[in-house]
Amino acid sequence: QSVLTQPPSASGTPGQRVTISCSGSSSNIGSNYVYWYQQLPGTAPKLLIYRNNQRPSGVPDRFSGSKSGTSASLAISGLRSEDEADYYCAAWDDSLSGFWVFGGGTKLTVL
Amino acid sequence: EVQLVESGGVVVQPGGSLRLSCAASGFTFDDYAMHWVRQAPGKGLEWVSLISWDGGSTYYADSVKGRFTISRDNSKNSLYLQMNSLRAEDTALYYCAKDFDSRGDDAFDIWGQGTMVTVSS
């Protein structure tokens, strides 16, 4: 059971907009930044969104992140076949001595 | 080119020990905190451990605390994970990842390709 909760799957057709949610608590999302990682099949994860809504250089502006309270969302607009991947949210958790937590991951299928 | 290359993954018996290494290149290694993240076969990502830029601060997931030790040698641009008392549930692909900053509480912006650890008799 992951500390951050994501839907196990999501889907959309090319060109559509899809969103993936990530729910946490006051000790993680509620008080720290949220990060999103994309893992294409058979490859290492890649940073997609940092500090809630910032895109690293090279990430298309079709990808956007937002945060409200203890929840966050990743939105992908203009869905493309190459977006089919697993997506993970992550945040630092302030409880105990501190540690990083990931969501369980969402498998995005482009129909 | 910024690169992380992990090594040391093998098949090991339950209760055994193993040391993973991660060689960094293309950036100033001792400016940044580093992490180990693992992924069991067919499962999601699990953060394992973090070490600050100078090795002065380390953090561990509860699942490995007391069994795993993270360390770094800045003179060799290398990160390590000493794994003791290995269990079947430690079977996973282990990634090293670079942090955005020196403390380890920001993005994991560079990832290696991973090294596979299998714990089995």
Side-chain angles (χ1 to χ4, degrees):
Chain A
Q1 189 79 355
S2 301
V3 174
L4 303 182
T5 301
Q6 297 179 236
S9 63
S11 64
T13 56
Q16 269 191 330
R17 182 178 187 273
V18 297
T19 61
I20 297 171
S21 62
C22 176
S23 177
S25 67
S26 59
S27 63
N28 41 66
I29 293 178
S31 52
N32 295 295
Y33 289 124
V34 177
Y35 301 81
W36 291 91
Y37 298 89
Q38 177 193 58
Q39 188 175 32
L40 297 170
T43 70
K46 167 192 165 186
L47 178 64
L48 198 62
I49 297 288
Y50 66 98
R51 298 176 195 163
N52 300 336
N53 54 20
Q54 302 299 301
R55 282 186 308 277
S57 162
V59 172
D61 59 6
R62 301 186 296 105
F63 295 90
S64 62
S66 63
K67 180 185 121 170
S68 178
T70 59
S71 293
S73 291
L74 172 71
I76 309 172
S77 59
L79 198 62
R80 304 175 67 158
S81 58
E82 56 261 40
D83 298 334
E84 188 161 291
D86 293 323
Y87 292 85
Y88 296 90
C89 58
W92 177 257
D93 194 298
D94 289 326
S95 54
L96 302 175
S97 58
F99 52 96
W100 278 93
V101 289
F102 280 95
T106 298
K107 182 173 181 58
L108 174 63
T109 301
V110 180
L111 302 169
Chain B
E1 179 193 5
V2 177
Q3 195 173 10
L4 297 171
V5 179
E6 302 92 337
S7 61
V10 292
V11 178
V12 61
Q13 291 190 337
S17 297
L18 196 58
R19 188 174 90 149
L20 304 183
S21 300
C22 172
S25 59
F27 64 98
T28 305
F29 183 69
D30 55 11
D31 277 352
Y32 300 99
M34 297 292 295
H35 303 264
W36 287 100
V37 178
R38 68 184 181 183
Q39 187 169 34
K43 302 297 185 182
L45 301 175
E46 179 189 16
W47 174 79
V48 173
S49 185
L50 146 68
I51 187 166
S52 61
W53 68 279
D54 62 350
S57 297
T58 57
Y59 301 83
Y60 299 91
D62 284 347
S63 57
V64 306
K65 200 171 294 183
R67 300 187 298 123
F68 290 10
T69 302
I70 191 172
S71 63
R72 64 190 296 161
D73 185 339
N74 287 344
S75 68
K76 295 182 178 179
N77 289 349
S78 293
L79 174 72
Y80 306 101
L81 185 67
Q82 178 65 43
M83 310 165 68
N84 298 332
S85 303
L86 283 162
R87 307 167 180 166
E89 54 264 37
D90 295 319
T91 295
L93 185 62
Y94 284 74
Y95 295 103
C96 70
K98 169 189 167 292
D99 199 280
F100 249 4
D101 77 6
S102 62
R103 296 182 308 275
D105 58 357
D106 212 334
F108 303 178
D109 63 338
I110 304 295
W111 296 66
Q113 288 306 301
T115 187
M116 186 68 200
V117 173
T118 303
V119 183
S120 173
S121 55

